[in-house]
């Protein structure tokens, strides 16, 4: 779909590294360039036209991102990366915790939604408990989280999709279970957003974070929190900066040029529609999985019923680095290692080399998949 809209795809590589960062779509590139060329480059909140245009850009981007997540623009916060936003969010939430409180993380999550909670918990004297995925399928049903919830649980930190094996957890069930236990839910939507609609309001999550460079935009990230929650929690901030939500959550001057790209990328994703993205990706994923499964010596990990088109595998007799290097010689870009899904890599006993990840997004096609399969077959 739409390959011609991605200048980064013109060099003939099969780009299966989308989960590590997608190619930028033309409208996002153009929006950034246009912003930088146009003389808009003023700081926000000034008395003159260029500064007011910056305010308008930022506010229109909050609206676009909020629409993508079915949420209020007032709760949209910009930041440099999901990791930085989550580190700050967990540290801020922890100001309300006390010794004996509990936080639930999962072994399916990227470390960006684990380590910030561990650090914050350690400082508060709270304990982190882990929900494990089901062995084999690597699904994360609500009961996996229920098993570690207690009346002391303050937050549940869970991914909307695994960046390693693509599992889409039962978010609805997990949110319901967490809320029934009196806990709040923080969702990592970084891997999910290019594939699945995350309806933050419909799901009733308390906060969700994602990064535009995974959905065809520039490097720059977004956190949406329930506005009442963002009012209640008190992040560390400078004295002269606004104490109003969402501004008090944003540290320093954001990258306005990135924000110009983010609004274009958000509108692009919405213009595609998640149904057509999913139909295209599911067909390619089926081709990739059946092709890999048919190759001798390939071990595939995970078979969740609901899954993004993200395959993780090993090849007998070779470590993941060797496989990725050999695939690169065939102009097939895959990732190797643990992709920071450290808990999962340990859970599957894959450390220190990890596995190979081939991740599809909507701009991949059958030729990309077949190139991967031929290159793996050659190994
Ligand atoms: C699922 C997931 N969560 C979090 C992150 C971290 O995002 P960022 O690079 O914006 O900090 C990544 C990056 O790969 C990811 O895949």
């Amino acid at each position: 779909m739409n390959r011609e809209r991605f200048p980064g795809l013109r060099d003939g590589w099969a780009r299966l590294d989308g989960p590590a960062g997608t190619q930028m779509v033309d409208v996002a590139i153009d929006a950034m360039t246009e912003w930088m060329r146009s003389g808009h480059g003023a700081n926000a909140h000034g008395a003159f036209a260029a500064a007011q245009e910056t305010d308008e850009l930022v506010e229109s981007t909050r609206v676009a991102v909020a629409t993508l997540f079915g949420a209020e623009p007032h709760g949209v916060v910009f930041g440099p990366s999901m990791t930085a936003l989550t580190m700050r969010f967990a540290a801020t939430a922890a100001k309300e915790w006390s010794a004996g409180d509990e936080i639930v993380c999962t072994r399916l999550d990227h470390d960006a939604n684990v380590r910030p909670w561990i650090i914050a918990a350690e400082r508060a004297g709270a304990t982190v408990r882990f929900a494990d995925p089901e062995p084999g399928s690597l699904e994360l049903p609500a009961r996996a989280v229920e098993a570690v919830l207690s009346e002391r649980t303050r937050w549940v930190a869970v991914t909307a999709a695994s960046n390693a094996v693509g599992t889409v957890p039962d978010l609805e069930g997990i949110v319901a279970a967490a809320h029934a236990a009196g806990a709040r839910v923080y969702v990592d939507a970084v891997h999910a957003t290019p594939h699945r609609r995350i309806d933050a309001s419909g799901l009733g999550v308390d906060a969700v974070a994602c990064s535009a460079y995974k959905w065809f935009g520039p490097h720059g990230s977004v956190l949406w929190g329930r506005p009442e929650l963002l009012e209640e929690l008190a992040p560390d901030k400078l004295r002269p900066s606004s104490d109003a939500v969402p501004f008090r959550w944003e540290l320093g001057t954001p990258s306005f040029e990135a924000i110009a790209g983010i609004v274009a990328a958000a509108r692009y994703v919405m213009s595609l529609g998640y149904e057509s993205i999913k139909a295209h990706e599911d067909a390619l994923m089926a081709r990739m999985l059946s092709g890999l499964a048919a190759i001798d010596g390939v071990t595939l990990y995970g078979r969740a019923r609901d899954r993004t088109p993200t395959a993780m595998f090993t090849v007998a007799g070779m470590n993941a680095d060797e496989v990725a290097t050999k695939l690169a010689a065939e102009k097939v870009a895959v990732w190797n290692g643990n992709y920071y899904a450290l808990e999962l890599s340990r859970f599957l006993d894959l450390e220190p080399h990890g596995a190979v990840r081939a991740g599809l997004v909507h701009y991949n096609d059958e030729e990309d998949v077949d190139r991967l399969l031929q290159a793996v077959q050659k190994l």
Side-chain angles (χ1 to χ4, degrees):
M1 278 166 84
N2 288 357
R3 284 178 77 84
E4 71 292 349
R5 306 278 310 267
F6 293 85
L9 297 179
R10 287 184 195 146
D11 62 3
W13 279 70
R15 296 299 299 259
L16 306 179
D17 61 330
T22 50
Q23 294 305 301
M24 272 180 73
V25 64
D26 53 8
V27 283
I29 299 168
D30 294 346
M32 290 181 78
T33 312
E34 168 59 17
W35 181 259
M36 289 185 281
R37 283 187 195 282
S38 63
H40 292 319
N43 209 331
H45 310 313
F48 55 101
Q52 284 154 7
E53 276 161 350
T54 299
D55 294 337
E56 278 160 29
L57 168 77
V58 173
E59 292 321 309
S60 64
T61 309
R62 286 194 216 280
V63 170
V65 169
T67 310
L68 188 65
F69 289 103
E72 306 91 326
H74 193 49
V76 172
V77 173
F78 296 108
S81 67
M82 182 275 184
T83 303
L85 285 166
T86 306
M87 209 51 104
R88 177 166 170 75
F89 190 89
T92 307
K95 292 182 185 181
E96 296 191 329
W97 306 343
S98 49
D101 280 345
E102 294 176 4
I103 308 304
V104 168
C105 290
T106 92
R107 293 199 203 280
L108 203 58
D109 270 82
H110 185 287
D111 210 41
N113 202 26
V114 177
R115 187 65 184 154
W117 299 98
I118 294 178
I119 293 170
E122 276 171 5
R123 289 196 184 134
T127 309
V128 173
R129 303 182 71 188
F130 278 93
D132 287 347
E134 304 267 297
S137 73
L138 301 180
E139 289 186 339
L140 191 75
R143 65 174 174 278
V145 170
E146 267 159 2
V148 286
L149 283 172
S150 81
E151 69 284 354
R152 295 300 306 262
T153 311
R154 304 296 304 271
W155 279 89
V156 172
V158 62
T159 191
S162 156
N163 68 314
V165 292
T167 299
V168 175
D170 174 11
L171 260 195
E172 218 177 301
I174 291 169
V175 172
H179 284 171
R184 288 167 166 168
V185 183
Y186 185 92
V187 173
D188 174 357
V190 172
H191 182 72
T193 306
H195 310 289
R196 291 284 192 285
R197 177 163 159 72
I198 307 298
D199 178 4
S201 296
L203 279 167
V205 304
D206 297 280
V208 52
C210 71
S211 298
Y213 74 97
K214 310 284 190 177
W215 35 275
F216 324 112
H219 294 90
S221 298
V222 178
L223 177 140
W224 174 84
R226 273 193 303 106
E228 318 80 78
L229 180 67
L230 298 187
E231 297 280 354
E232 176 195 316
L233 300 176
D236 293 343
K237 62 177 284 299
L238 303 187
R239 288 171 297 175
S241 67
S242 170
D243 198 32
V245 168
F247 309 107
R248 68 166 163 169
W249 284 87
E250 291 169 345
L251 279 178
T253 313
S255 165
F256 298 123
E257 50 278 12
I259 289 174
I262 292 173
V263 64
R267 287 178 183 150
Y268 171 72
V269 172
M270 289 186 278
S271 75
L272 288 176
Y274 279 106
E275 272 174 30
S276 61
I277 292 177
K278 186 169 186 302
H280 176 77
E281 291 180 350
D282 282 354
L284 286 185
M285 175 70 161
R287 188 181 184 95
M288 178 161 75
L289 286 181
S290 62
L292 285 171
I295 300 174
D296 270 352
V298 169
T299 304
L300 282 160
Y301 295 87
R303 45 171 193 280
R305 277 159 294 185
D306 193 5
R307 221 178 150 180
T308 65
T310 313
M312 186 168 99
F313 63 95
T314 49
V315 177
M318 297 177 85
N319 70 40
D321 178 34
E322 290 165 339
V323 176
T325 305
K326 290 211 150 105
L327 296 188
E330 308 283 333
K331 287 188 131 185
V332 177
V334 294
W335 219 265
N336 64 282
N338 60 30
Y339 353 102
Y340 287 22
L342 178 63
E343 293 295 337
L344 185 68
S345 190
R346 287 180 177 161
F347 181 76
L348 295 171
D349 211 8
L350 288 170
E351 290 293 292
H353 297 295
V356 178
R357 176 184 65 191
L360 304 166
V361 292
H362 75 281
Y363 58 57
N364 290 115
D365 61 11
E366 290 186 353
E367 210 181 304
D368 292 334
V369 172
D370 292 349
R371 182 110 60 88
L372 168 78
L373 297 176
Q374 280 153 20
V376 175
Q377 180 77 57
K378 256 171 85 176
L379 301 176

